[in-house]
Amino acid sequence: MTIGWNFDNTYSKLPEAFISNTSPTPVKTPELIILNDSLVKKLGLNFLSMNKKELSELFSGNSLPKGSKTISQAYAGHQFGHFTMLGDGRAVLMGEHISRNNERFDIQFKGSGKTPFSRNGDGRAFLGAMLREYIISEAMHFLNIPTTRSLSVVQTGENVMRENILPGAILTRVASSHLRVGTFQYIAARQNVDELKTLVDYTLDRHYPNIKQSKNQAIAFLKVLMEKQIDLVVNWMRVGFIHGVMNTDNMTISGETIDYGPCAFMDTYDPQTVFSSIDQLGRYAYFNQPSITKWNLARFAESLIPLIDENKDKAIDIATEEINNFEKVYEIKWLNMMRDKLGLFGEDPKDQVLILDLLTWMHKNKADYTNTFCLLMNVKIQNNKIYTNEDFMVWKKRWEARLKLNNNTAEKYLKLMKSVNPLIIPRNHKVEEALTLASNGDLTLFNK
């Protein structure tokens, strides 16, 4: 029985400026904690011929499949607004696997040891953080939000030093690619136009072949990435997801959510909610996510300036004009998303006020973001008196009147609402409970 690996490693063939040939650092006693069976099937792989020990060796990087080509990728990033030359400091790309459906996937180890980009880091990760990424990335996938996914988590049998001594682990991450805005920043900072052209050509071939024929590829590329990133952040806002670390190196060119560090789903609705202890100023708070997306896209546009027009001033004007379209496009998409959450068909001039009045009420009354929409879909939630207060009842009557427009029926609007509003999210206290138990060797709640 064959496992089905089908490697075609294109990124490793790019000039040496882009990559470093790196191998995972072997670990002592790897133990497979979880393997994602549904993702295994999607990749067209079959591990039935391998026992747990062999799988543990594979997903720790101790043994590598035939055809793999391990590298670390170079990239830069604005981290909390400050530019830094970075790279995969604790990640190693196993290779690019082609599935039976002819889809290309990066298979990457995270926490697999030092690389030339590690600087002062140990290149390792700890179990709780890797299991968190597994839970949240899978939740995002099943909430229909573009995301990298988690194939496996292996405990290494070694400890890592953070504030405390923690059990080490390696996550195997699957992505349509690991190209980031930061990848373009890194190459742009080298001021070699040929390298920049090489990167753009590679990226368009891999992700956006339909714009290869555009009169101005760089502008077409900027437009398509802006569209992708607006769609992504609108999806985050839809479910109350807060990324936590929206640095430019954590913004993918494919439009997938990447890097589940200090992230979480919002419980009580508060637009200023932050989920990163180092984000003291709220740069990456829930309500700031659209403006940070625009800011990151502006950094991407700067990277493309030499390819937009030979005249630098003209190139800057063209790029600025594109970036300035962001708010208009975002507002339309956000408004339509919120209409869907409320089961509204068509457009009404009063929709924006209706939506903002609900959000204002939720904030003032500390209402739960997910549960409020569940209640509006007639889903039973824990009894909460705030939903019987006069302000909410008055708002609800306005909403019910709006629902009656455009030949709407209860069957139609409930179907629309159920297609976009989650009933279940990874609740922070439940995730923390599961991770605490898992770190002490009890995976029952995590598996549940």
Side-chain angles (χ1 to χ4, degrees):
M1 187 181 294
T2 61
I3 290 164
W5 287 118
N6 179 19
F7 289 105
D8 175 41
N9 306 313
T10 57
Y11 201 82
S12 61
K13 292 170 186 162
L14 290 178
E16 59 182 29
F18 294 77
I19 60 167
S20 176
N21 293 311
T22 315
S23 297
T25 306
V27 296
K28 285 178 188 168
T29 50
E31 182 195 352
L32 183 70
I33 298 293
I34 189 163
L35 182 63
N36 189 335
D37 293 327
S38 72
L39 185 50
V40 168
K41 284 179 190 153
K42 182 179 170 65
L43 295 171
L45 299 172
N46 186 332
F47 294 117
L48 292 175
S49 63
M50 295 178 76
N51 61 37
K52 191 176 178 183
K53 187 175 186 306
E54 289 169 326
L55 287 168
S56 302
E57 291 288 321
L58 170 66
F59 288 114
S60 63
N62 277 10
S63 70
L64 294 166
K66 191 179 175 187
S68 59
K69 176 79 173 75
T70 56
I71 58 166
S72 290
Q73 296 183 343
Y75 51 84
H78 272 92
Q79 301 197 310
F80 293 89
H82 304 287
F83 185 72
T84 318
M85 297 297 262
L86 298 159
D88 287 328
R90 59 170 179 168
V92 172
L93 193 68
M94 181 201 284
E96 297 162 36
H97 167 73
I98 313 292
S99 74
R100 287 175 191 154
N101 297 334
N102 209 32
E103 289 180 280
R104 181 180 298 272
F105 295 99
D106 275 5
I107 315 288
Q108 186 198 63
F109 297 121
K110 186 174 175 182
S112 55
K114 285 192 173 188
T115 77
F117 305 109
S118 296
R119 294 179 291 176
N120 298 323
D122 61 6
R124 292 300 187 192
F126 63 94
L127 182 62
M130 297 302 94
L131 291 176
R132 178 197 301 280
E133 176 151 347
Y134 190 103
I135 292 174
I136 307 289
S137 62
E138 285 304 288
M140 294 287 271
H141 172 73
F142 286 102
L143 289 168
N144 295 321
I145 298 174
T147 179
T148 58
R149 292 186 67 186
S150 302
L151 182 56
S152 69
V153 177
V154 165
Q155 196 163 335
T156 61
E158 300 169 2
N159 290 328
V160 293
M161 287 290 296
R162 296 298 182 257
E163 287 94 16
N164 306 305
I165 297 172
L166 300 164
I170 295 169
L171 174 110
T172 301
R173 179 161 68 190
V174 175
S176 60
S177 86
H178 283 84
L179 289 159
R180 312 148 192 266
V181 167
T183 315
F184 283 81
Q185 288 181 290
Y186 181 89
I187 295 301
R190 290 171 56 83
Q191 298 186 329
N192 182 322
V193 177
D194 289 339
E195 287 178 354
L196 187 59
K197 281 178 181 165
T198 298
L199 182 58
V200 169
D201 286 344
Y202 176 85
T203 307
L204 297 188
D205 284 337
R206 184 156 178 177
H207 289 297
Y208 305 113
N210 55 318
I211 63 175
K212 290 276 285 183
Q213 305 308 314
S214 304
K215 197 164 79 172
N216 188 322
Q217 284 186 0
I219 283 297
F221 189 11
L222 178 57
K223 281 181 177 174
V224 76
L225 186 61
M226 186 154 82
E227 192 87 8
K228 283 265 185 186
Q229 290 298 334
I230 289 175
D231 287 342
L232 182 62
V233 78
V234 165
N235 259 318
W236 291 356
M237 305 303 272
R238 168 174 70 86
V239 298
F241 175 74
I242 300 161
H243 185 283
V245 194
M246 287 179 67
N247 298 330
T248 53
D249 53 298
N250 292 333
M251 181 185 265
T252 61
I253 299 301
S254 62
E256 292 177 324
T257 313
I258 193 171
D259 199 72
Y260 292 93
C263 63
F265 286 74
M266 186 163 54
D267 294 324
T268 302
Y269 179 74
D270 180 353
Q272 295 183 349
T273 307
V274 172
F275 278 110
S276 171
S277 58
I278 55 174
D279 191 3
Q280 299 291 330
L281 301 175
R283 178 182 172 88
Y284 299 145
Y286 175 74
F287 80 115
N288 272 343
Q289 292 184 132
S291 60
I292 288 295
T293 302
K294 180 188 175 184
W295 193 90
N296 288 351
L297 286 164
R299 306 293 76 76
F300 177 69
E302 285 168 0
S303 302
L304 296 181
I305 289 297
L307 303 183
I308 291 174
D309 197 276
E310 287 178 2
N311 181 317
K312 188 178 177 182
D313 291 337
K314 189 179 173 188
I316 290 169
D317 288 344
I318 294 168
T320 303
E321 192 178 340
E322 288 301 330
I323 294 294
N324 285 343
N325 289 327
F326 182 94
E327 278 89 358
K328 190 171 74 176
V329 177
Y330 174 79
E331 192 171 312
I332 292 166
K333 291 195 178 220
W334 179 83
L335 201 52
N336 286 332
M337 175 273 289
M338 291 302 295
R339 284 190 181 105
D340 291 349
K341 281 179 78 70
L342 289 171
L344 308 178
F345 288 89
E347 294 178 13
D348 186 275
K350 298 178 197 155
D351 285 348
Q352 189 161 4
V353 174
L354 183 74
I355 291 160
L356 292 175
D357 284 352
L358 173 65
L359 294 175
T360 303
W361 176 87
M362 286 166 68
H363 188 202
K364 184 180 169 186
N365 291 275
K366 298 183 166 56
D368 185 275
Y369 185 70
T370 302
N371 287 352
T372 299
F373 291 98
C374 288
L375 178 101
L376 294 173
M377 294 188 295
N378 305 320
V379 175
K380 264 196 154 182
I381 60 168
Q382 284 181 330
N383 189 24
N384 193 323
K385 288 178 183 171
I386 60 166
Y387 296 112
T388 59
N389 82 20
E390 190 183 345
D391 287 347
F392 184 71
M393 300 312 287
V394 168
W395 178 88
K396 202 173 172 196
K397 279 183 180 162
R398 288 165 57 205
W399 171 61
E400 285 165 347
R402 169 65 176 88
L403 282 173
K404 289 172 183 167
L405 302 179
N406 301 300
N407 301 316
N408 206 349
T409 63
E411 187 184 16
K412 268 172 71 178
Y413 76 70
L414 284 172
K415 185 181 178 186
L416 177 60
M417 292 174 80
K418 285 174 181 174
S419 72
V420 294
N421 290 314
L423 298 184
I424 297 169
I425 57 167
R427 292 282 179 183
N428 307 321
H429 64 285
K430 299 301 288 181
V431 172
E432 290 307 319
E433 192 185 341
L435 297 182
T436 302
L437 288 169
S439 294
N440 292 311
D442 181 356
L443 288 156
T444 315
L445 190 56
F446 174 82
N447 288 327
K448 187 182 173 188

